[in-house]
Amino acid sequence: DFEFRTDQFLPYLESMFTLLFQLLQEVTECDTKMHVLHVLSCVIERVNIQIRPYVGCLVQYLPLLWKQSEEHNMLRCAILTTLIHLIQGLGAESKNLYPFLLPIIQLSTDVSQPPHVYLLEDGLELWLVTLENSPCLTPELLRIFQNMSALLELSSENLRTCFKIINAYIFLSSSEFLQVYSGDLCRSFCELLKDITTEGQVQVLKVVENVLKVNPALGPQMFQPLLPSVFRGIIEGERYPVVMSTYLGVIGRVLLQNASFFSLLLSQMACECGQELDQLLGNMIEMWVDRMDNITQPERRKLSALALLSLLPSDNSVIQDKFCGIINISVEGLHDVMTEDPETRTYKDCMLMSHFEEPKMTEDEEPPTEQDKRKKTLALKDPVHTVSLQQFVYEKLKAQQELLGEQAFQALMETVDTEIVTQLQEFLQGF
């Protein structure tokens, strides 16, 4: 419990670990075994990847201990906790434990099995850690997801971990995973959204947002039944800022990365609401501009600017009518993402990522998990991190000017506040 310095402990790690492990095998009292396991877990947690050379014996022994502890659910909980720290220490190497590990996760998270009452919370945590450290999706790992529908129906305090698990599958292998389970997931989500807290709504929609991020081509079709209520939420001016922000994140992805699907959705909504298509689009843009302040994450703010700009160039009178709002949001977005290089006095988009960088690690930091690396690789394909907002604004305005001709374009620019135009020109210097 006192000040623990990993480097000072390392010389004793091997002997300490070996002795604790011997003790674990020798003691017979269930309670004592739990205590020894707890100390082993602490050691593994503290030394993290440094534990790798010494865990072979423990890994071989745990299946036996698990078998022996069938009657002792609390001891099984202690084994689950030890496994959680072990997987974190082993990283991608934990794949070698799957033959023993995955049946344990399967059992602990199956609500039709009596032990789940004791094991569920630790079992879910173990499932999540296993996915985060998994180098690839195996058929067995995919199969365990069959337990999820029943878990979502429980909608208990473990829901948050369930959403993390779903996201982990999406990052791990979205196409394989969604091919098998997108229908079930969509049904579960539609049920959940009928009766869930606002925080729960946000969690559901974040999963949808991740699906759209990972799979912009098929994502909108897979979760099509959820999108009308999101669209309606925007039009009706959802009053909870966090929910509104997530709604705009979801629709922003569809608009920016799958324009043809967005058109279909717009037509469907126009029929449902009995409104003109253009009128509905105008209402949406107006609400978006009005509620931009609900969005606090810089990524989503930039996404909003890119999404609304993607409506240009256009000779549609409604879009031209909302041109001023689109420019306002674009300039707000530029303020968010542009940093000035003091030497050259030029601006650059600080959200751009050009290549995968291995982060420099300090002593106390945990090494990145496989999932951290997957998220990084995904970010390198995301328009938010690959498209320069400055460049995009410039190209869209130029295209709009070419479409309308100089005179009509100037008339359009005059609808924008002069102060905003000055700021815009400053950002676009050098283009």
Side-chain angles (χ1 to χ4, degrees), residues 66 73 76-77 80 107-108 115-123:
W66 182 261
N73 284 312
R76 285 199 152 182
C77 286
L80 289 175
L107 172 77
S108 311
H116 90 269
V117 179
Y118 302 95
L119 305 178
L120 183 58
E121 197 173 325
D122 294 317

Side-chain angles (χ1 to χ4, degrees), residues 15-53:
S15 57
M16 193 73 80
F17 194 82
T18 313
L19 290 167
L20 279 167
F21 176 61
Q22 282 168 3
L23 189 60
L24 181 65
Q25 291 168 291
E26 283 164 23
V27 295
T28 49
E29 280 291 313
C30 192
D31 215 25
T32 319
K33 277 193 185 297
M34 279 167 60
H35 276 302
V36 179
L37 265 178
H38 176 69
V39 178
L40 269 170
S41 281
C42 283
V43 170
I44 296 171
E45 186 185 11
R46 288 305 177 86
V47 301
N48 203 300
I49 56 176
Q50 317 266 16
I51 200 68
R52 290 179 188 179

